[in-house]
Amino acid sequence: MDYLEGLNTEQQAAVQQIQGPVMIIAGAGSGKTRVITYRVAHLVRHGVDPFNILVLTFTNKAAREMRERILHLVGLEAKNIWMGTFHSVFAKLLRVEADKIGYPNNFTIYDTDDSKSVFRAILKEMNLDDKLYSVNFVLNRISAAKNNLVSWQEYQQNDQIQADDIATNRGQLGKIYETYVNRCFRAGAMDFDDLLFKTNELLKTYPEVLNKYQHKFKYLMVDEYQDTNFSQYLIVKKLAAVNENICVVGDDAQSIYAFRGANIQNILNFEKDYPDLKVFKLEQNYRSTKNIVNVANSVIANNKEQLKKHVFSEKETGDKIKVMRAFSDNEEGKLVAEAIMYERTTKGLKWNDFAILYRTNAQSRSMEEALRKLGTPYKIYGGLSFYQRKEIKDLIAYFRLTFNPNDEEALKRVINYPRRGIGDTSVDKIIVTADQHQITAWEVITNPSKYLDGRISAAVGAFATMIQSFQVLTKTQSAYEAALYIAQHSGLLKDLYEDKSVEGLNRYENIQELLNGIKEFSEREDIEEKGLDVFMQDIALLTNDDNDKDPNADTVSLMTIHSSKGLEFPQVYVVGLEENLFPSQMALNSRSDLEEERRLFYVAITRAESKLTLSYATSRFKFGTLISCEPSRFLDEIDAQYLELDFTAKPVISGSLNYDDERSAWSRTDNTFSKPKTATIKTTSILAKAHVPSAGFAPSDTSKLQVGMEVEHERFGFGKVISLEGNKPDVKATIFFKEIGQKQLLLKFAKLCILNQ
C-alpha cells in the first residue's frame, strides 16, 4: 500500500496492528501525527466503518490537522469518524443523551468567565469574604474535585477534604460547590469540567447507554495519552471494555501537565489494564540534530519513573549546545537578543526561525526589552505581552493616575480595583456629573460631598485622598520606593497575594517582576533622573507595540515552555536555567515534582531543530532584592561532550557584585562549572557538584543565628556566618562556605542547619 512506503519499520508495524490493545510510545519529533492518521486510514481501508471509530485529541488544531490528512487518504468517508477533543466529542454525546440526566439537549456550556460570574453571585448571597474565597481559588478547587469525579455530596461527606477546608478557614466550599451545581442545573448549563463529569455519571448510571457506545465505538485512539486525567482515563477504559481495540499514543517524557490534573501513571501503568498489550516505540527523531537529541537523552535519563526508550537521530551531528552565562537577568536578555541578531544576519534566517522559551511568564520582561532595543520584531505566543497583562496594566494605571489625575481611563480602571464599594453605577454617575458640570472626573471625586450622595461620597473621597498621598510621596521617593508603596497601599499587591490559584500566583509574580524592573531602573548609574514619572515615560514608549496586528508577521516567538509543546523551531533559546527558577522552587519537595520539571526541560530541548542555546543569570531581582543565583542542576546532568560554554560576557560591577576579574576565565571540568581563582565574588555564580547533606540534616530556626556560628546548607555545604544585616523578616546572612566561597542568603528562604547552637 503506497501510504505505508513513507513510514519506517516501527511506524509501519504500529499502523498495521489494528486489533487489540496497542500503545505507541512516540518520542519527540518521531512522526506521531503521521502514524495516527495513517493508522485511522488503514482501519477504513480494511473495512472498518468510520462511524465505529473514535479518535480523541487534546486540541482542536490537532483534530483538524488529522482530519484533513485522513480526508486526503480515504476521501469523504473520513467525515463520519468521531474525532475531536475530549470535551467536544463528549459534549456531542451528551447532546444526544442529556435527557437521561435531567438536562435539555440544547444545554448551555459555560466558559470560565460564566462560571466566575456565578461564583461571584453565590459568594455575595452567602456573605462570604471574596478575598478568602477568591473566585479563582473556588473555581480551581471545584474543578479539581470534578476532574477526580468527586461530587458535591462526596465533597461534603469526605472527612479529609472537610478538614483541609476548615484548616484554611474555607469551611463553606462544600456548600458553594452544592449551590453552584444546583444553579447550573437550574439554568440548563454545564461547565467544561461537567462535560467529562456528566459523561462519567451517564455511563455509570445507565448501563444501556454504556453498552450502546461500547458497541458503537469499536476502535478507539487517544492522542497525548500521558496528559489524561482520572476522569478521561475512566471514560476511555469503560468505552473500550467490550472490544479492547484501543490504541493510545503518547510520550511519558513529555508529561508536563500535572498542575491541570494530568496523571502520568495512566500511561506508565497502561499495560496493567491490558496484559496482552502490544507496544511500539517510535524512537527515530526526524526533527533535531544528533547533538540536540543526545542532550535530551542525557537529561531525561535521570528520571526514575519512565518507559525506557532510546531516541536517536540520523540527521547531521549539528552544533554543540551553547551555554551562556549572564550576570543579571537584563544582561541575559541582551545576550539572547544579540545572539539572535547575529545568527539571523550571518546565516540568512528569518525572525520566525527563532524561539525564546522560559519557565514563567514574568521572565518575558527582560527578553522583550532587549529585543525592542535592537528593533527585533517579536510576538508573545499563547499569552499577552508583559505590559499588556491585566495586573500590569492595573498597577501602571495607578502610576498614570498619580502623575495625571485627569487620566479618565486610568481612573475608571482602578477606582474600584481592588474593590472598595464604588460600583459601575457609581462610576457612571461620576462620569455623567463631570460631563454635566464641564469638569474632570477627578474634580468630582476630590469634592465628593458637593457632587455625590452620602455613602458613595465617603468611598470616593477616601480613594481621592489615597491618590493624593501617592502624589506627595512620588516627589521625594525613588521610582522603586514609590512604586512599591503604591502597589502595597492601593491594596493591589495584597489582593493578588491572597489568590493562591496557579493564575493568581502568576499574576503576583508578574507584579513582582515589574517592581524588579523598576528597582533596576532606580539603581542605574547612566541616568540622573530616576523618578517614577521618568520610568513611566520609558514604559509608554515600550508598550506601543504593533506586533499582534499581523499574525503571519515574521517575528521571534516568545513563550513559556508549557505553551511550546507540540511546536518546533530551527533555533531555540531556553533561558533562566537557575535553581529555584528552573527547576521551580515549588518542585523541590518531592521526586515526582522534580521529575515533571525535568520532563519540562526535555520538552524545551526537543523543540529545537538545528541549534539550541541555554542561558542562566548569576543574579536577578526578586521581590525588589538582588539575589545571587546558582545554575540549574539540569545543566550538570548534560553530558559535557555536547556542550560549548560561552562565558565571555562582561560582569557589571555594582554594589552587590564585585569581580576583580573583568573578563571571565571560567572553565568546565569534570562536568561541572567552576570559577577562576582570581575572581572575588560576593554572590556565588558557579555550578558545583551538589553537597550531600549529613545524615539527619534538618533546617534550624534561623532566628537564632549569630555571627561566628558554623552552619550546614543542604546544597552549599559547611560554612561560617560572617555577618548579619537587615530587619526581620528580611535578614540577610553573609556566609563563607568552604567549597564555594562567600555567599549572601535571605534567611527566610535559606535552609540552614546550625551546628554549634
Side-chain angles (χ1 to χ4, degrees), residues 525-563:
E525 297 178 0
D526 59 331
I527 56 174
E528 294 183 8
E529 296 290 328
K530 299 180 182 178
L532 186 57
D533 55 338
V534 179
F535 178 82
M536 289 298 297
Q537 294 169 21
D538 200 15
I539 291 300
L541 296 173
L542 288 178
T543 55
N544 184 20
D545 183 12
D546 297 324
N547 280 339
D548 290 334
K549 289 185 177 179
D550 181 5
N552 299 313
D554 183 19
T555 58
V556 175
S557 296
L558 274 67
M559 67 191 79
T560 63
I561 301 168
H562 282 101
S563 297

Side-chain angles (χ1 to χ4, degrees), residues 607-661:
R607 298 312 93 198
E609 297 172 0
S610 60
K611 188 175 180 66
L612 173 66
T613 302
L614 311 174
S615 71
Y616 66 94
T618 61
S619 68
R620 69 174 65 232
F621 277 95
K622 186 173 184 179
F623 307 126
T625 302
L626 184 69
I627 64 167
S628 61
C629 307
E630 56 175 311
S632 169
R633 68 188 69 191
F634 295 154
L635 289 171
D636 240 347
E637 295 173 353
I638 300 174
D639 193 324
Q641 66 177 305
Y642 304 123
L643 297 181
E644 170 195 341
L645 305 186
D646 182 3
F647 288 174
T648 58
K650 282 188 177 182
V652 178
I653 299 175
S654 66
S656 299
L657 295 175
N658 180 18
Y659 292 86
D660 293 338
D661 196 17

Side-chain angles (χ1 to χ4, degrees), residues 321-529:
I321 282 61
K322 181 179 287 188
V323 179
M324 298 195 303
R325 182 204 60 196
F327 293 92
S328 69
D329 45 354
N330 273 0
E331 187 192 44
E332 182 184 37
K334 178 175 176 288
L335 291 176
V336 170
E338 289 175 348
I340 289 174
M341 180 71 76
Y342 175 80
E343 287 288 315
R344 178 179 181 271
T345 303
T346 58
K347 296 183 179 178
L349 300 173
K350 297 183 294 184
W351 292 121
N352 57 23
D353 289 328
F354 300 91
I356 302 174
L357 310 183
Y358 34 78
R359 179 64 181 84
T360 66
N361 277 309
Q363 290 171 260
S364 75
R365 179 191 61 81
S366 57
M367 297 296 143
E368 287 188 71
E369 292 183 3
L371 292 169
R372 289 177 194 271
K373 286 175 182 176
L374 292 182
T376 301
Y378 69 89
K379 181 177 181 180
I380 303 290
Y381 186 99
L384 294 171
S385 168
F386 182 84
Y387 291 105
Q388 293 300 312
R389 292 172 182 140
K390 179 187 180 298
E391 61 275 14
I392 300 299
K393 295 179 76 171
D394 289 338
L395 184 51
I396 287 177
Y398 271 109
F399 298 163
R400 285 167 48 188
L401 194 61
T402 298
F403 291 104
N404 178 14
N406 294 329
D407 187 335
E408 190 169 291
E409 290 304 310
L411 175 67
K412 289 192 293 185
R413 187 174 188 96
V414 300
I415 192 170
N416 199 39
Y417 177 72
R419 292 184 187 178
R420 47 178 64 90
I422 308 173
D424 291 344
T425 302
S426 299
V427 174
D428 290 342
K429 184 173 183 180
I430 291 169
I431 303 301
V432 169
T433 301
D435 289 341
Q436 289 174 342
H437 291 82
Q438 294 295 297
I439 57 177
T440 65
W442 177 250
E443 289 181 78
V444 174
I445 69 171
T446 49
N447 296 280
S449 59
K450 181 178 179 181
Y451 297 107
L452 303 169
D453 298 330
R455 185 194 64 79
I456 190 63
S457 173
V460 166
F463 174 76
T465 300
M466 179 183 70
I467 298 298
Q468 288 169 330
S469 73
F470 296 167
Q471 292 170 337
V472 172
L473 183 83
T474 55
K475 293 177 181 178
T476 58
Q477 301 295 314
S478 71
Y480 174 72
E481 291 167 333
L484 181 60
Y485 184 92
I486 292 171
Q488 290 173 334
H489 289 78
S490 64
L492 184 148
L493 204 57
K494 182 173 183 289
D495 186 70
L496 293 176
Y497 179 77
E498 291 176 345
D499 182 356
K500 299 302 183 183
S501 67
V502 173
E503 297 86 354
L505 288 171
N506 281 336
R507 284 192 284 269
Y508 183 74
E509 287 178 357
N510 288 337
I511 289 294
Q512 292 296 344
E513 184 61 17
L514 176 62
L515 294 172
N516 291 342
I518 298 172
K519 175 79 168 181
E520 291 175 359
F521 171 84
S522 298
E523 295 182 353
R524 281 173 58 181
E525 297 178 0
D526 59 331
I527 56 174
E528 294 183 8
E529 296 290 328

Side-chain angles (χ1 to χ4, degrees), residues 288-295 313-321 609-612 641-642:
S288 307
T289 63
K290 286 187 173 75
N291 275 336
I292 292 171
V293 170
N294 289 336
V295 164
S313 171
E314 292 187 352
K315 295 183 72 175
E316 68 276 8
T317 301
D319 294 341
K320 288 190 174 185
I321 282 61
E609 297 172 0
S610 60
K611 188 175 180 66
L612 173 66
Q641 66 177 305
Y642 304 123

